[in-house]
Structures are given as C-alpha cells and as structure tokens.
C-alpha cells in the first residue's frame, strides 16, 4: 500500500511544479506585453513632446548675442530679480525672460495635450523613465497646488 501512495505523491508534485512553471510563463508573457506597451507609449509621448514650442526656445540666440549693452544690463538685473523672487532661474525665450515655473507650466499644458492624443490617463503608471515622474503629470498634486 505504501508503494501506491509514493508514485501518487510524486505525480502530484510533478503536476504542481508543472502548473507553477506554466503560471510563471503566462505571467512573464503578460508582463512582457505590458512592458512593450509602456515602452511604445513612452516613445510616442516623447515624439509628441519633441514638437512642443518650448523645444524651439533652445535654438534661440543667447541674450548677449541680440541685446545691446544697456539692454543686457537690464536683462541681468531682471534675471537677478526673478531669481530672488522665485528661487529659480528664469528662462530666456529669445525675446524675454520667463519665470521658470511659467515656462514649465506651459510644457505641462503641452504634455496634457499629448496625453489626450495618446489616450494616457495615468502617466505615472503608463509611461517609463523621466516622463513617469509626478512633475510631468498634469494631474499631480504639484500642479494642482500651483493653480
């Protein structure tokens, strides 16, 4: 009688291990698909963000190349004043200094449009890398408090 129980015990162990392996494979396939979707969504979001108007501001000439000596002094004074008031350096857009927070808020509004285009409703979970951080999520508390 002991001989019949032993093979049944081995058989149930083998079946259990087999089911565990099948479960791990299924889990791995599902996770791989989710990872691939997240990667593709992030790639599409980055492509959308590349068309943002603020990306062009990186190509504008530096203030010292377009301002006169007097205008340049006013520029530096305004820069210092904004830095003292906000604690963040302003951004030069080629024409004027823009407070960093306003500049970034415009980029967040553009990101919101990209989210809508791509059907992203939970960027912190759906995107990878830098774009999954709260500072890029238009619905995060950071931006709700800023309004």
């Amino acid at each position: 009688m002991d001989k019949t129980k032993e093979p049944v015990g081995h058989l149930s162990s083998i079946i259990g291990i087999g089911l565990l392996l099948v479960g791990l494979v299924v889990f791995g396939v599902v996770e791989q698909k989710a990872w691939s979707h997240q990667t593709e969504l992030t790639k599409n979001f980055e492509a959308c963000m590349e068309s943002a108007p603020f990306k062009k501001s990186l190509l504008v000439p530096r203030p010292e190349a377009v301002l006169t000596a007097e205008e340049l002094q006013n520029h530096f004074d305004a820069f210092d004043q904004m830095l003292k008031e906000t604690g963040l350096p302003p951004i030069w857009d080629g024409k004027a200094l823009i407070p960093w927070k306003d500049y970034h808020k415009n980029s967040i509004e553009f990101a919101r449009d990209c989210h809508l285009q791509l059907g992203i409703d939970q960027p912190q979970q759906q995107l990878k890398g830098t774009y999954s951080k709260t500072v890029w999520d238009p619905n995060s508390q950071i931006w709700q408090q800023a309004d």
Side-chain angles (χ1 to χ4, degrees):
M1 200 172 210
D2 287 337
K3 291 181 182 177
T4 58
K5 282 188 174 184
E6 192 172 320
V8 172
H10 287 306
L11 184 61
S12 62
S13 295
I14 291 170
I15 291 172
I17 290 171
L19 288 174
L20 180 64
L21 289 174
V22 168
L24 287 174
V25 168
V26 168
F27 179 75
V29 168
V30 169
E31 284 298 310
Q32 175 60 33
K33 284 185 179 182
W35 181 265
S36 295
H37 177 70
Q38 188 182 37
T39 300
E40 187 65 27
L41 202 53
T42 301
K43 182 178 157 192
N44 292 339
F45 181 73
E46 287 173 341
C48 182
M49 291 300 287
E50 283 300 316
S51 66
F54 65 85
K55 287 286 194 172
K56 292 169 186 58
S57 70
L58 301 174
L59 304 174
V60 299
R62 298 173 55 102
E64 55 270 16
V66 294
L67 298 176
T68 65
E70 185 179 312
E71 291 172 330
L72 198 55
Q73 184 57 53
N74 292 338
H75 168 83
F76 288 127
D77 292 342
F79 184 97
D80 288 341
Q81 185 61 34
M82 283 186 196
L83 182 61
K84 286 176 188 171
E85 289 173 2
T86 65
L88 298 167
I91 306 291
W92 169 251
D93 72 353
K95 299 176 198 127
L97 288 170
I98 301 170
W100 185 90
K101 196 168 186 179
D102 293 345
Y103 179 84
H104 193 62
K105 194 168 190 172
N106 292 338
S107 65
I108 290 302
E109 289 169 5
F110 193 86
R112 179 179 288 133
D113 293 340
C114 288
H115 287 163
L116 289 173
Q117 273 181 336
L118 298 169
I120 298 169
D121 55 358
Q122 295 179 321
Q124 293 177 47
Q125 287 77 37
Q126 292 174 282
L127 298 175
K128 291 172 55 175
T130 323
Y131 291 119
S132 67
K133 297 189 183 309
T134 55
V135 73
W136 279 103
D137 181 357
N139 299 318
S140 72
Q141 282 187 326
I142 294 169
W143 296 108
Q144 300 308 313
Q145 293 170 353
D147 291 335

